[in-house]
């Protein structure tokens, strides 16, 4: 049986906080963990291992990049089905009743107390930790670029997605395009801007709030999850992204 600390971890895992890089990594959907009392929200164990519960492979890519870049990284420690750290609180997808084609019975008819509990224990501590870190960097005069790490399923609602990766952005067009160009040098990669999603303040959180609102360059990296399901695939993508992100220096956008 898991200990109380294992069942209810801190809302954020901080990796390499003293890293020297100007890149700050965020991985909101790093974990599919649920405290035992939630009984998987009524979702099958097999489904809880899929993209509906977390971003498969994203945590390992974020940790690998933190190491090769000497960058700080902030990783979520609870399943996105409990509360999605990259959705505005109380937005329609914040606590989903359905994810792709899977119903989430344990999220139906939630009372205000449970909604507030998830906000207080999972959502707010994560973003407060990220925000205070970014504020300290600014106060110290340290340049910062935010890179959030995500993964996406190759087929969504029966529609195949042709991209190997997507680079999403709000205002940081030049930063995003430079990363796309850097990745495109890898033979055969299909990397697109604002695919398979776009960044929107009504449905996204980290890029608008931690990036745009602080006037910081910020991009969201989406990697197709079948490419990062094992150690070799993860190493390949860390090896691709690492040199591209390492090339950025203060004053360049």
């Amino acid at each position: 049986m898991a200990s109380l600390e294992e069942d209810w971890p801190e809302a954020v895992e901080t990796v390499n906080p003293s890293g020297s890089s100007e890149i700050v990594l965020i991985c909101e959907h790093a974990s599919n963990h649920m405290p035992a009392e939630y009984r998987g929200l009524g979702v099958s164990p097999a489904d809880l291992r899929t993209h509906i519960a977390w971003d498969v492979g994203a945590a390992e890519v974020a940790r690998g990049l933190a190491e090769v870049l000497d960058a700080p990284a902030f990783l979520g420690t609870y399943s996105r089905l409990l509360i999605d750290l990259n959705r505005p609180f109380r937005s329609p997808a914040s606590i989903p009743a359905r994810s792709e084609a899977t119903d989430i019975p344990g999220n139906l008819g939630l009372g205000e107390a449970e909604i507030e509990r998830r906000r207080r224990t999972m959502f707010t501590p994560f973003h407060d930790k990220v925000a205070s870190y970014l504020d300290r960097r600014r106060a110290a005069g340290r340049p910062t670029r935010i890179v959030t790490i995500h993964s996406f399923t190759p087929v969504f609602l029966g529609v195949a997605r042709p991209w190997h990766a997507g680079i999403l952005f709000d205002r940081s067009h030049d930063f995003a395009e430079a990363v796309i160009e850097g990745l495109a040098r890898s033979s055969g990669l299909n990397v697109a801007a604002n695919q398979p999603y776009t960044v929107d303040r009504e449905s996204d959180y980290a890029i608008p709030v931690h990036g745009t609102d602080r006037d910081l360059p910020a991009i969201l990296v989406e990697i197709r999850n079948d490419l990062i399901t094992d150690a070799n695939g993860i190493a390949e993508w860390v090896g691709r992204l690492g040199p591209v992100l390492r090339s950025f220096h203060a004053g360049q956008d």
Side-chain angles (χ1 to χ4, degrees):
M1 180 179 295
S3 68
L4 183 63
E5 183 178 350
E6 291 171 327
D7 209 30
W8 288 92
E10 291 187 23
V12 56
E13 175 190 351
T14 305
V15 177
N16 194 28
S18 60
S20 62
S21 175
E22 70 179 69
I23 300 293
V24 173
L25 300 160
I26 301 173
C27 188
E28 301 97 316
H29 305 150
S31 176
N32 63 352
H33 173 71
M34 288 191 194
E37 70 175 74
Y38 287 105
R39 300 181 182 275
L41 296 175
V43 178
S44 75
D47 282 336
L48 291 176
R49 292 190 291 271
T50 72
H51 69 281
I52 71 167
W54 62 334
D55 279 0
V56 176
E60 289 78 9
V61 171
R63 290 191 182 98
L65 288 171
E67 181 176 357
V68 301
L69 295 172
D70 189 27
F74 297 87
L75 285 69
T77 60
Y78 290 91
S79 173
R80 65 187 300 175
L81 292 180
L82 288 167
I83 191 164
D84 195 317
L85 298 177
N86 195 38
R87 301 290 182 266
F89 181 60
R90 294 191 183 277
S91 69
S94 173
I95 300 178
R98 186 175 178 85
S99 183
E100 192 176 2
T102 303
D103 291 326
I104 317 299
N107 283 344
L108 295 176
L110 292 181
E112 186 63 28
E114 175 58 23
I115 294 171
E116 174 61 20
R117 180 195 195 196
R118 296 189 197 183
R119 182 203 63 77
R120 186 181 67 251
T121 60
M122 303 169 195
F123 185 89
T124 298
F126 181 90
H127 288 295
D128 282 355
K129 190 75 170 283
V130 173
S132 64
Y133 181 82
L134 294 173
D135 289 344
R136 291 196 303 273
R137 286 177 68 104
R138 169 160 288 175
R142 293 187 63 186
T144 297
R145 290 174 181 270
I146 295 173
V147 177
T148 71
I149 304 297
H150 294 253
S151 69
F152 66 95
T153 182
V155 178
F156 186 79
L157 293 175
V159 178
R161 292 156 151 181
W163 312 282
H164 297 105
I167 307 299
L168 284 56
F169 62 94
D170 180 13
R171 296 181 184 174
S172 300
H173 176 274
D174 291 348
F175 185 19
E177 285 298 324
V179 172
I180 291 170
E181 290 174 8
L183 288 175
R185 297 188 190 106
S186 295
S187 177
L189 284 183
N190 182 349
V191 183
N194 286 328
Q195 293 289 355
Y197 310 104
T198 58
V199 172
D200 183 280
R201 187 173 290 273
E202 300 302 313
S203 58
D204 293 272
Y205 193 89
I207 298 300
V209 173
H210 296 309
T212 302
D213 289 354
R214 284 182 169 79
D215 199 27
L216 294 174
I219 59 172
L220 188 157
V221 176
E222 288 272 8
I223 305 168
R224 208 176 70 202
N225 66 22
D226 62 320
L227 304 176
I228 51 174
T229 57
D230 59 27
N232 287 337
I234 290 160
E236 285 180 7
W237 278 89
V238 171
R240 288 174 177 137
L241 282 163
V244 174
L245 295 175
R246 192 183 296 117
S247 68
F248 292 96
H249 302 282
Q252 179 183 346
D253 191 23

